[in-house]
Amino acid sequence: MSPKTKIAPCVKPGLPRGVALLHDPMLNKGSAFTALERDALGISGLLPPEIFTMEEQETRVLENYQRKQTNLDRYIHLTGLQDRNTTLFYRVLIDHLEEMMPVIYTPTVGEACQKFGHIFRRPRGLYASYNDRGHVAEILGNWPQADVRVIVVTDGERILGLGDQGASGMGIPVGKLSLYTACAGIHPSQCLPVTLDVGTENAAYREDPLYMGLRQRRVRGEDYYAFVAEFIEAATERWPKALVQFEDFGNTTAFHLLERWRNEICTFNDDIQGTAAVTLAGLLSALRLTGKPLLDQRILFLGAGEAGIGIGELIATAIAGAGATPEEARRRCWFVDSKGLVVKSRSDLASHKVRFAHDFAQIPDLLGAIQALKPTAIIGVSTVAKAFNQEIVETMSRLNERPIIFALSNPTSKAECSAEEAYTWSRGNAIFASGSPFEPVTYQGKTFVPGQGNNAYIFPGVGLGVVATEARYVTDRMFSAAAAALAEITSRGDLEMGRVFPSLKRIREVSARIGAAVAEVAFSDGLARVEEPDDVFGLVQSKMWIPRYTDYLI
Ligand code: NAI
C-alpha cells in the first residue's frame, strides 16, 4: 500500500453524498461535519476547513440574530437557518425559546403572514388549492415523508386577530409545527404544515402583484366543505396515524368542521380547544391567588367567537365537575359580542352562541354588562384593541379585591389592554394574563411578570400524548386533563410574581407532563392504539426528539 492510500470509513446506508447532503436540511450539519465524514461523504473542500462544534455554530447564529434590527428580520434569519440546518435551528430555538417564540410565532408570525408574498424565499409545507380538487390525493403523494404524525392545516380565513390572509396564512401552520418540535419534541420529519387555498376575501391581496395564492373570492358552502373533506380523506388515507389540527379557520367553518370530524378522525381545533385549556389553567391558577372556589366564579367574555365559546364550554365543564348542574355551570359564563350581551331575546345569534344565551335583559355594551352581572373575571377574545379601558378595569377593581383580567386577543396591537394598564388602573390588584407577551411591569415598587396565555403550553403536549399513544380521537377529557396538569405545574413562586403560568423555560418538562396526562386519558378511555406500558411518563418522554447531530460513520 502506498503511504497516500487511505482506508475509506464506512458511511451509514441511504445517505446522499456531496452537495446533495449539504442541501438536505434534515441531514446537513454545516461546518460541524468531521474530517472523516467530509472525506467519506464527498464534501471535503465544499466547506471552509475549520470544524466547529454545535455550540460554536450556535454562537455564530446568535451573533447574526442579535445584529438584526427588527423581529421580522430575525424571523427571516431563523427561517433561513431552518431551511439549511434543521437540527441547529431547533437547538438554537430550544435554548432560547422564551426570547424566540415571539419571533417564530405570535406576534411576529402575523407580520410575516401579512408580508408573505414579499419576504418569500423557499417553500415550506404543502399547498392544496381549490383548482386541485379531485386530485388532492396526488398532491399529498408529492410530500416526501412517509410517517407524518401531526398535520396543522389552515384555510387562512382568520389568522390570529388579523383577518383573512388567504394563502399567506401558511406562516401559521409552519410556526405552530416548529413549536410542536421545539416544545414537545415531535420529530420535524413527522410534521406537515398544510394550506388549503380556496381564495381570499382580502381584496388588497387579490390585487397585490406579489400575492402567492388564488386571486378569487372564497369558495363557500357545500363546495368548500367537499373540498376540505377531500383533503381530510386523502390525508388520513395516506397517514392513518396522523393527528389533524385545524388552525385559524373562520369561526363558522371552524365549529362546523370540528363537529363534522371530531368523532371520525383524530383531530382538534387549537383556537377552540387549545385556547380553552390554557385559559382554564390560567383561571385555576388565578383562583389559587384569590383563594375563591371555581363554583363561585362568574366569567364575562368580550368576544363570542372560536376562542370565547371554546373557553366557555371547557370552563362550564370544569364548574360542573366541581359540583354544579350543567345548566348552572353554563350560567356562570356570559358573553358580550359586537351587538352587546348575548341573551335569549336576541334574534341575531349565530348557532355556536345559543348555548350561552341566558334569560336576561338586553345590554348594549361591556361596561353595562359588568355593572349588571358583577363578574369575578373578564376575558377578552374580541380582537378589539383597548376595549378594557380605564373605566372597565376600575369597575372590575371596585367589584373584586383581585379582579381577574385576561386580555387574550392577538397580536399585541389587538390586546384588550396592556399589562401596564391592567396593573396601574387596578392599583396592582389585577391578576392579568395576555395572549401576546408583555414585558414585566413595576408598579409602586413591586414588579409583576404578566403570564402569557400561550396555546404553546397546551397543544404540543396534547399532540405528544396523542402521538405516543396513537390515540384514535382527541377528546375534551384530554383537554381538561391538560389544563389541570398545567395549573399544577405553575409554582407558588410564579404566582407570587403575578404569573398564572409556569416559565416558558420549563416548556419541555411542561409538555412531557401534559403529554403523560393526555396519554393516561387515552389509555383509560380505550382510545390508544398502542399497548399501555407500566411507565406512561417514560413512554411519552421516549418519543421526544432532541436536536443532536448523529454520527454518519459506522
Ligand atoms: P373570532 O373571529 O372567532 O371571534 C371574535 C369575536 O369577537 C366574535 O364573536 C365577534 O363578534 C367579537 N367581536 C368583534 N368585535 C367586537 C366588539 N366590538 N365588541 C365585542 N365583541 C366583538 O376569533 P377568535 O378565534 O375567537 O379569536 C379572538 C381573539 O383571541 C384573536 O385576537 C385571537 O388571536 C385571540 N386568541 C388568543 C389565544 C390565546 O391567547 N391563547 C388563542 C386563540 C385566540
Side-chain angles (χ1 to χ4, degrees), residues 333-533:
C333 298
W334 294 77
F335 289 82
V336 169
D337 67 9
S338 54
K339 312 263 168 41
L341 189 63
V342 171
V343 288
K344 261 207 178 118
S345 56
R346 274 178 52 183
S347 55
D348 58 348
L349 294 177
S351 59
H352 58 270
K353 302 180 190 177
V354 170
R355 283 157 67 84
F356 290 100
H358 308 306
D359 248 333
F360 205 78
Q362 293 195 11
I363 299 177
D365 64 336
L366 178 64
L367 183 63
I370 292 176
Q371 285 161 337
L373 295 167
K374 303 188 173 36
T376 52
I378 51 174
I379 297 181
V381 273
S382 62
T383 73
V384 181
K386 303 294 171 202
F388 294 169
N389 57 29
Q390 186 162 356
E391 200 179 1
I392 298 277
V393 175
E394 285 177 354
T395 306
M396 281 300 289
S397 306
R398 271 197 299 279
L399 294 169
N400 300 280
E401 207 177 307
R402 305 285 323 259
I404 297 170
I405 297 180
F406 290 177
L408 298 184
S409 286
N410 293 316
T412 318
S413 61
K414 304 276 182 183
E416 284 78 5
C417 67
S418 69
E420 187 169 9
E421 289 165 345
Y423 293 125
T424 309
W425 294 336
S426 68
R427 299 171 189 271
N429 290 320
I431 302 173
F432 176 80
S434 55
S436 295
F438 280 102
E439 292 297 320
V441 174
T442 303
Y443 176 77
Q444 294 193 340
K446 179 165 183 204
T447 299
F448 298 88
V449 181
Q452 187 194 354
N454 194 327
N455 290 29
Y457 284 117
I458 294 285
F459 69 81
V462 169
L464 177 62
V466 167
V467 167
T469 56
E470 297 179 16
R472 265 190 285 273
Y473 308 109
V474 188
T475 61
D476 283 344
R477 266 173 53 76
M478 292 178 181
F479 282 101
S480 299
L486 179 58
E488 218 169 82
I489 298 164
T490 306
S491 70
R492 201 68 231 172
D494 291 322
L495 295 176
E496 271 154 23
M497 281 185 254
R499 186 163 64 194
V500 292
F501 302 103
S503 162
L504 277 172
K505 287 193 179 75
R506 295 173 64 200
I507 192 71
R508 300 270 293 191
E509 175 202 341
V510 167
S511 297
R513 287 178 58 180
I514 290 177
V518 167
E520 296 280 6
V521 174
F523 286 121
S524 67
D525 291 358
L527 299 172
R529 284 179 282 187
V530 302
E531 192 126 324
E532 183 170 357

Side-chain angles (χ1 to χ4, degrees), residues 7 80 86 88 152 193 195 284 306 337-338 477 482 509 525 540:
I7 299 170
T86 306
L88 183 59
V152 176
T195 290
L284 295 175
E306 289 169 63
D337 67 9
S338 54
R477 266 173 53 76
E509 175 202 341
D525 291 358
V540 167

